[in-house]
């Protein structure tokens, strides 16, 4: 059987499903008209069938479009009781308009009775009975719709939580990866051998900051952009200490006070910097250039790097970083992460969130 849940409108279904739905509705109308004609007079079966069909189709469309309009403006997961009450009011109002319209059309055009006859006490049943039937069916369908959406939201939340766990574990694995730790310790050894205690001390502190941030943020859905950029700066310091002039990172951002009002998933920006270092060659003569800029007007953070491919050793890259980050953004906001690649650059644009811009925070 097709899904008659209000809100699933014809333009949202395939033509095959729509034809199946219409055939099912016509079958219902045929069955009802046959029963009514058997109880009354078989001679009136054609008009009974037409009457039932017009009623059914009009009520289906009125409820469907009304609820679809509500779905765009009011979520079931945000104040479900209020949504149920508003949905029933919209459904009953739309149904009443349909009932009055159909009754008026048949009374005036077919039975050739005056319009005033609609308001006779003997005709009240023509309005009350369809409204009661509509109310009962609407309660069933909307309750079913609510339960289906609630189940879908629960499944989606569980799936995203799993993806977040994978992303957190992957981020933690990358930071404690032997390559990263080995390179960091080598850089620290060089500083000690050069007898540069000030830089060595700062290096150790920045390394500790990197690991502390990874551990502290792994249970959080979002962090402030200011916190993320402090972490990125520590990470970049470690890499520049190791690579020297082979790495150039340009950071163009507003003051930290402004960044405290903006949110990103933890490790999001650092992931893009790490990917750039992992997949591109660096050298003193041709340094790898990475740019991090925030467009305040559109609230989008863009990370771009020059393309100078290098062969990545097996096991050093999982290929899941951007995929996991995109999935985390899909849970937090409707604004997608975008990737743009040219012959010379690799550009990733991250939506920057606020408490009001993301459904998960505004609900």
């Amino acid at each position: 059987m097709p899904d008659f849940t209000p809100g699933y409108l014809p333009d949202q279904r395939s033509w095959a499903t729509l034809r199946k739905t219409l055939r099912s509705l016509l079958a219902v109308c045929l069955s009802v008209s046959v029963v009514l004609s058997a109880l009354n007079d078989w001679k009136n079966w054609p008009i009974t069938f037409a009457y039932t069909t017009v009623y059914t189709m009009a009520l289906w469309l009125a409820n469907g479009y009304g609820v679809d309009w509500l779905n765009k403006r009011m979520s079931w997961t945000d104040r479900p009781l209020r949504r149920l009450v508003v949905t029933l009011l919209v459904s009953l109002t739309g149904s009443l308009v349909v009932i009055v319209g159909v009754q008026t059309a048949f009374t005036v055009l077919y039975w050739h009775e005056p319009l005033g006859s609609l308001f006779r006490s003997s005709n009240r049943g023509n309005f009350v009975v369809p409204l009661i039937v509509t109310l009962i069916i609407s309660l069933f369908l909307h309750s079913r719709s609510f339960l289906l959406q609630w189940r879908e939201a629960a499944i989606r939340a569980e799936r995203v939580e799993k993806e977040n766990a994978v992303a957190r574990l992957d981020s933690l694995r990358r930071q404690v990866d032997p390559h990263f730790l080995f390179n960091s310790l080598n850089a620290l050894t060089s500083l000690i051998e050069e007898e540069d205690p000030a830089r060595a001390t700062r290096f150790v502190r920045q390394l500790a900051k990197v690991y502390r941030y990874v551990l502290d943020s792994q249970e959080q859905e979002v962090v402030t952009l200011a916190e993320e950029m402090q972490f990125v700066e520590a990470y970049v310091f470690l890499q520049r200490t190791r690579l020297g002039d082979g790495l150039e990172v340009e950071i163009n951002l507003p003051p930290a006070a402004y960044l405290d009002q903006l949110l990103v998933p933890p490790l999001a920006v650092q992931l893009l910097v790490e990917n750039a270092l992992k997949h591109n060659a660096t050298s003193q003569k041709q340094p790898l250039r990475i740019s991090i800029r925030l467009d305040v007007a559109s609230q989008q953070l863009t990370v771009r790097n020059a393309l100078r491919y290098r062969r990545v050793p097996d096991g050093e890259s999982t290929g899941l970083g951007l995929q996991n980050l995109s999935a985390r953004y899909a849970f937090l906001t409707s604004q997608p992460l975008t990737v743009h690649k040219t012959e010379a650059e690799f550009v990733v644009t991250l939506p920057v969130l606020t408490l009001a811009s993301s459904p998960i925070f505004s609900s």
Side-chain angles (χ1 to χ4, degrees):
M1 286 291 290
D3 190 353
F4 295 138
T5 303
Y8 289 93
L9 301 180
D11 60 345
Q12 297 174 312
R13 312 285 286 183
S14 66
W15 283 108
T17 304
L18 176 59
R19 287 194 295 269
K20 186 177 179 181
T21 300
L22 292 176
R23 285 197 299 268
S24 299
L25 288 174
L26 289 174
V28 171
C29 296
L30 180 62
S31 302
V32 172
S33 62
V34 167
V35 172
L36 292 177
S37 298
L39 294 175
N40 294 285
D41 187 358
W42 280 104
K43 295 180 180 180
N44 293 327
W45 177 82
I47 187 62
T48 302
F49 176 70
Y51 189 73
T52 304
T53 301
V54 171
Y55 250 128
T56 302
M57 296 297 182
L59 287 172
W60 175 57
L61 290 173
N63 281 274
Y65 277 103
V67 173
D68 188 66
W69 178 82
L70 273 179
N71 285 339
K72 298 176 182 178
R73 291 161 176 80
M74 188 181 299
S75 170
W76 276 106
T77 55
D78 180 17
R79 299 181 182 177
L81 181 59
R82 177 186 174 188
R83 168 61 199 266
L84 179 62
V85 172
V86 173
T87 299
L88 289 178
L89 289 176
V90 170
S91 178
L92 289 177
T93 302
S95 299
L96 182 61
V97 171
V98 168
I99 292 169
V100 172
V102 172
Q103 287 289 346
T104 300
F106 275 88
T107 298
V108 176
L109 300 178
Y110 181 76
W111 288 301
H112 303 292
E113 295 184 7
L115 189 61
S117 63
L118 287 171
F119 306 102
R120 294 173 185 169
S121 57
S122 58
N123 290 331
R124 289 177 183 173
N126 295 332
F127 298 97
V128 176
V129 173
L131 275 179
I132 293 176
V133 173
T134 299
L135 178 61
I136 294 173
I137 295 176
S138 294
L139 278 172
F140 170 76
L141 293 179
H142 298 317
S143 298
R144 178 175 178 269
S145 177
F146 166 72
L147 290 175
L148 288 175
Q149 291 192 31
W150 191 273
R151 185 183 66 177
E152 181 182 350
I155 293 174
R156 181 167 172 259
E158 183 179 353
R159 183 175 65 249
V160 172
E161 179 59 31
K162 180 180 178 180
E163 291 172 346
N164 280 339
V166 171
R168 289 194 294 265
L169 288 174
D170 185 60
S171 297
L172 184 59
R173 183 198 62 78
R174 288 198 314 270
Q175 296 303 332
V176 297
D177 183 83
H179 295 94
F180 175 79
L181 186 58
F182 177 77
N183 291 333
S184 298
L185 292 178
N186 268 347
L188 179 59
T189 300
S190 298
L191 293 177
I192 294 174
E193 291 175 349
E194 293 171 5
E195 297 184 358
D196 192 345
R199 289 187 66 194
T201 300
R202 184 183 177 191
F203 187 93
V204 171
R205 288 175 178 171
Q206 297 301 315
L207 184 61
K209 183 183 293 186
V210 165
Y211 279 90
R212 179 179 295 277
Y213 181 84
V214 172
L215 294 173
D216 290 346
S217 65
Q218 62 181 323
E219 298 299 331
Q220 300 181 42
E221 297 292 349
V222 291
V223 294
T224 67
L225 185 54
E227 292 175 313
E228 176 73 7
M229 290 312 302
Q230 288 177 4
F231 166 61
V232 169
E233 289 172 358
Y235 179 81
V236 168
F237 173 82
L238 297 178
Q239 298 293 2
R240 289 202 63 184
T241 301
R242 181 174 66 90
L243 299 172
D245 294 335
L247 175 63
E248 294 182 2
V249 180
E250 177 189 3
I251 300 177
N252 191 346
L253 299 174
Y258 180 79
L259 301 184
D260 279 330
Q261 310 302 316
L262 305 177
L263 306 171
V264 293
L267 304 161
V269 182
Q270 179 270 341
L271 168 67
L272 303 181
V273 175
E274 181 183 14
N275 278 351
L277 288 167
K278 183 181 298 182
H279 295 283
N280 295 276
T282 62
S283 68
Q284 304 291 328
K285 294 181 179 180
Q286 291 184 313
L288 175 64
R289 292 181 173 85
I290 302 174
S291 171
I292 303 174
R293 292 177 178 271
L294 176 65
D295 187 331
V296 176
S298 62
Q299 290 194 338
Q300 291 184 327
L301 185 77
T302 300
V303 179
R304 64 179 70 229
N305 63 268
L307 283 180
R308 303 212 340 267
Y309 291 113
R310 75 176 183 93
R311 183 181 178 277
V312 180
D314 295 338
E316 187 173 331
S317 176
T318 63
L320 297 176
L322 279 177
Q323 181 180 337
N324 286 335
L325 183 58
S326 181
R328 292 160 72 189
Y329 262 104
F331 175 65
L332 295 170
T333 178
S334 59
Q335 303 175 60
L337 173 153
T338 60
V339 177
H340 180 65
K341 182 179 177 182
T342 67
E343 293 183 359
E345 281 189 323
F346 188 81
V347 183
V348 180
T349 300
L350 303 176
V352 177
L353 310 176
T354 63
L355 291 178
S357 67
S358 175
I360 193 173
F361 303 115
S362 58
S363 56

